[in-house]
Amino acid sequence: MEGYVISSCEWRMIPCDYCGEQHPKCLMKKHMDDCAKMPLVCENGCRENILREKIETHNDNDCLLAIISCPYVDMGCTTKIPRKEVELHLQTTMRIHFENACIIF
């Protein structure tokens, strides 16, 4: 019986490859669907592997392909662009941003 429990029982405890938490073998797939330490490929296409628990931070602050609003959104610019194109957008629309700022103030 002991050999069965060690090698074959679906309820034996095994560690997660990512977080190290122990889970029954038969429930490991469910755990993997939620494991905070499991690396995922960025959904924006930047090809970075990000821990599930850090995906939101990556999208909000770091991902160069995340679509973000122009920094001048409060001044009326409605452009949404990949983060990596912000500088180019700011350079090419400087006059429009300036005019919008003059209207607001």
Side-chain angles (χ1 to χ4, degrees):
M1 181 69 167
E2 185 178 323
Y4 167 77
V5 171
I6 292 172
S7 65
S8 301
C9 179
E10 287 295 309
W11 287 96
R12 71 184 183 280
M13 299 298 282
I14 60 172
C16 171
D17 291 337
Y18 303 106
C19 69
E21 292 178 15
Q22 298 277 327
H23 295 275
K25 183 178 186 323
C26 61
L27 300 178
M28 187 56 73
K29 180 169 176 10
K30 180 180 179 340
H31 166 71
M32 291 296 202
D33 292 339
D34 300 321
C35 180
K37 302 291 184 190
M38 184 172 181
L40 304 172
V41 177
C42 175
E43 61 192 28
N44 297 318
C46 77
R47 296 190 175 132
E48 284 194 46
N49 286 320
I50 313 296
L51 299 182
R52 179 178 275 124
E53 67 186 358
K54 296 187 178 190
I55 284 285
E56 187 174 343
T57 299
H58 171 74
N59 288 334
D60 291 347
N61 303 314
D62 303 321
C63 182
L64 295 178
L65 297 180
I67 304 298
I68 62 170
S69 295
C70 170
Y72 291 99
V73 68
D74 293 338
M75 292 185 190
C77 184
T78 58
T79 302
K80 293 190 180 281
I81 46 177
R83 182 175 278 113
K84 71 178 184 176
E85 295 177 16
V86 168
E87 287 304 317
L88 177 62
H89 168 73
L90 293 176
Q91 290 173 10
T92 59
T93 57
M94 191 179 307
R95 181 182 178 123
I96 295 168
H97 291 147
F98 179 73
E99 289 171 357
N100 286 349
C102 289
I103 293 169
I104 292 174
F105 297 107

